[in-house]
Amino acid sequence: MYLNREEESILQGERGPGLQKAMELLVALGKVYEADGLVPISSAHLSGASYKTIGEGGIAFLEDISRDVKVKVPSTLNPLGMDRERWSEMHVPEHFASRQLKIIDLYARMGVRTSCSCTPYTGENVPRFGDHVAWAESSALSFVNSMIGARTNREGGPGALAAALVGKTANYGLHMTENRRPTVIIEAQIEEDPFQYTLLGQAVGKAIGNGIPFFRGIRPDLECAKTLAAAMAASGAVAMFHVEGLTPEAVSQDVDGLERVSIGRDELRVAHDSLQQIEEPELLAFGCPHLTVKEMKEMAEFLRDKRKTKDVDIWFCTSREVREACPDEVAVLERFGPVLADTCMVVAPIETHYKNSGSNSAKAANYLPTLCSQKVRCDSFQRLMEAVL
Ligand code: F3S
């Protein structure tokens, strides 16, 4: 792996131990994946923000590395284990809250923007076509690879942080044009409905693992694309997709001779069945990935004249930016449950309080059983809500 003189000097520790550690990590990753060198990045998005996922070991790592370094490129941070202000409404224990606040401080010390959303591409951190970036958060990196045409691998938290600190990442995988071509054609027959997109993602991820699908027959808007990306990344390990006639790198000639997989009503039913374990959740959580303004408006519209009659907790998870942008919708939704920022149902310690939860997101329904010890129900927003009205 080629390093120029400056990169070599960082590796030798001439710019301080924090940067040296970051460079060591990038070089180690580069060697594993046979990168030819480093490539400059224009932004980073970091995961590893929740105390639940990184624990004391993660805090020790961040304390150590943050002593003498700052990020070199605009860098945003994934959701935390709690809403910074409203954590007690989430039943988050006090000790957890204080350690979580410590983690935010450590990232802020390095110059990371602590807006803590998994959809930074809707506002705060929007790459351009062709940009090399280092993004963790599987749904977000798939979205920017696919819908924008930025270039990132499926980074882990430490790798993305190292890249942010150095301003470069190892050049391999999806940074190279030849690795971004589709590997399978998906002939999709679905309705243009967000819940159908999450089931489509569930089915495709299961069917193709870490392939790159080329979709025919769909036209997702931003909300459906984020849902699709999230579900495919969770049920499989899809980091990029193409949509014929829509995504910037979808070239029809690239798919000549590729295997075709059809996904229609039967496959969606199987996908749906695979995500049902219970009928009556104690917690309904929406916003995986974080809700957009459009989704907040649609949910508020649906709920405007309704009332909750069942004793079920409801969370709406979004970014701070979106929460502030739609006060009227927040007022409607808050009659049903808190509109939480900074966090989500998967990275919050919900298992301390709930055992059964429901979501309209296949990504959440994949992770809630494994990361939060939940039994789940996955259904559309309307059907989940109708059960508690
Ligand atoms: Fe975002 Fe949490 Fe889902 S980070 S994509 S809301 S699991």
Side-chain angles (χ1 to χ4, degrees):
M1 180 174 170
Y2 170 77
L3 296 183
N4 65 27
R5 194 174 302 169
E6 192 202 351
E7 293 159 357
E8 213 33 92
S9 76
I10 294 173
L11 189 62
Q12 298 313 319
E14 289 165 26
R15 309 287 175 84
L19 214 47
Q20 181 182 29
K21 248 188 212 102
M23 184 59 94
E24 282 170 354
L25 187 53
L26 293 183
V27 170
L29 283 169
K31 284 189 174 154
V32 169
Y33 292 105
E34 299 179 353
D36 55 4
L38 298 176
V39 61
I41 56 169
S42 63
S43 76
H45 180 69
L46 315 181
S47 62
S50 169
Y51 180 56
K52 170 168 146 173
T53 53
I54 70 169
E56 290 300 323
I59 290 179
F61 169 77
L62 291 172
E63 270 180 330
D64 191 28
I65 201 160
S66 64
R67 264 184 248 283
D68 64 338
V69 285
K70 289 235 182 293
V71 293
K72 298 270 189 321
V73 293
S75 301
T76 41
L77 188 61
N78 227 24
L80 314 166
M82 61 185 208
D83 184 305
R84 252 168 282 201
E85 285 103 32
R86 302 180 67 175
W87 52 269
S88 58
E89 289 173 65
M90 300 171 64
H91 313 286
V92 169
E94 242 169 76
H95 173 73
F96 185 104
S98 76
R99 300 310 279 162
Q100 184 63 76
L101 294 173
K102 168 90 185 162
I103 292 170
I104 305 174
D105 283 350
L106 291 168
Y107 277 112
R109 196 197 282 179
M110 290 185 279
V112 175
R113 298 179 192 169
T114 54
S115 40
C116 304
S117 169
C118 53
T119 56
Y121 50 80
T122 61
E124 237 215 319
N125 188 353
V126 188
R128 288 163 309 176
F129 177 83
D131 279 0
H132 292 273
V133 298
W135 280 40
E137 172 42 48
S138 59
S139 65
L141 68 90
S142 176
F143 186 98
V144 301
N145 266 328
S146 312
M147 300 299 287
I148 296 177
R151 299 182 169 211
T152 178
N153 285 315
R154 190 171 164 140
E155 300 279 358
L161 175 58
L165 295 172
V166 173
K168 296 178 180 178
T169 192
N171 192 31
Y172 67 92
L174 293 174
H175 291 284
M176 328 283 282
T177 302
E178 63 270 27
N179 297 328
R180 299 174 62 82
R181 301 213 171 95
T183 59
V184 55
I185 301 170
I186 304 292
E187 313 266 17
Q189 288 183 311
I190 65 161
E191 289 158 32
E192 291 294 317
D193 163 80
F195 189 62
Q196 295 244 320
Y197 271 97
T198 212
L199 295 182
L200 175 65
Q202 175 72 15
V204 171
K206 278 268 183 270
I208 72 165
N210 64 357
I212 301 182
F214 183 95
F215 284 99
R216 287 194 165 137
I218 59 170
R219 195 136 191 110
D221 61 6
L222 184 150
E223 285 72 17
C224 289
K226 84 177 165 72
T227 298
L228 175 67
M232 288 193 295
S235 67
V238 174
M240 178 170 185
F241 59 93
H242 302 277
V243 181
E244 190 169 45
L246 180 67
T247 55
E249 292 170 76
V251 178
S252 298
Q253 295 90 302
D254 280 355
V255 299
D256 289 346
L258 289 184
E259 178 198 355
R260 288 161 195 263
V261 175
S262 292
I263 306 279
R265 191 179 301 184
D266 290 347
E267 290 74 21
L268 295 198
R269 191 176 316 115
V270 171
H272 196 180
D273 289 348
S274 73
L275 300 173
Q276 308 303 331
Q277 294 152 6
I278 47 150
E279 280 301 316
E280 297 194 350
E282 308 154 86
L283 169 70
L284 296 181
F286 304 106
C288 172
H290 274 174
L291 298 171
T292 62
V293 169
K294 182 179 169 208
E295 288 172 313
M296 295 275 287
K297 284 187 187 303
E298 286 169 354
M299 289 181 171
E301 198 45 46
F302 179 78
L303 294 173
R304 196 167 297 278
D305 304 316
K306 300 189 169 72
R307 218 161 49 82
K308 185 172 79 164
T309 61
K310 301 264 170 60
D311 184 21
V312 171
D313 288 351
I314 301 176
W315 292 359
F316 302 93
C317 301
T318 188
S319 64
R320 223 150 248 279
E321 200 179 16
V322 167
R323 187 168 68 181
E324 278 159 23
C326 32
D328 295 346
E329 288 73 20
V330 169
V332 173
L333 298 178
E334 291 268 350
R335 289 199 283 109
F336 296 82
V339 177
L340 301 168
D342 310 325
T343 189
C344 82
M345 64 299 277
V346 170
V347 293
I350 65 167
E351 59 279 10
T352 59
H353 196 77
Y354 304 102
K355 293 208 164 14
N356 300 310
S357 49
S359 176
N360 58 346
S361 160
K363 174 171 178 179
N366 275 284
Y367 288 149
L368 285 166
T370 51
L371 299 178
C372 309
S373 310
Q374 301 291 297
K375 291 207 179 345
V376 294
R377 176 173 172 201
C378 185
D379 221 327
S380 69
F381 170 73
Q382 289 81 358
R383 276 192 294 269
L384 287 170
M385 286 306 301
E386 269 156 6
V388 302
L389 297 175

